[in-house]
Amino acid sequence: MNKKHQKTYEAIYTDPVKANIPWSDIEALFKALGAVISEGNGSRVRIELNGERAVFHRPHPENTTDKGAVKSVRKFLENAEVEI
């Protein structure tokens, strides 16, 4: 993991929950952690990491996440037992 991935990870766990994290940064973090990413229907993205699976929706028309999506990503990382 590089410094940018570390900053994205920290942004996900910032309290209060931070919005406006670029989705591309979150996907890059998933890849750096070894996740398998596959495309679903429409804007859906399937992620598998450490045996944990989740489906997320890429934000559009903007490319940044809202607080709900950040909470979901945080829960997914916790369930996948990711610790940095």
Side-chain angles (χ1 to χ4, degrees):
M1 268 188 26
N2 63 28
K3 193 167 187 106
K4 185 171 184 178
H5 298 138
Q6 180 70 31
K7 283 186 165 190
T8 302
Y9 182 82
E10 290 169 3
I12 291 168
Y13 282 96
T14 299
D15 279 322
V17 176
K18 184 177 179 179
N20 299 328
I21 301 171
W23 179 254
S24 58
D25 291 353
I26 293 174
E27 278 195 51
L29 173 64
F30 288 154
K31 288 177 185 175
L33 293 170
V36 176
I37 300 174
S38 60
E39 300 295 322
N41 294 331
S43 63
R44 290 182 182 92
V45 181
R46 293 185 203 100
I47 312 289
E48 184 174 350
L49 178 63
N50 298 338
E52 188 69 25
R53 294 180 183 178
V55 176
F56 296 100
H57 291 266
R58 280 195 181 105
H60 57 81
E62 298 175 11
N63 64 347
T64 57
T65 57
D66 60 17
K67 290 181 182 185
V70 173
K71 287 180 184 178
S72 295
V73 169
R74 185 185 290 188
K75 180 129 178 98
F76 171 70
L77 291 173
E78 289 170 359
N79 289 343
E81 299 178 357
V82 171
E83 291 182 18
I84 297 177

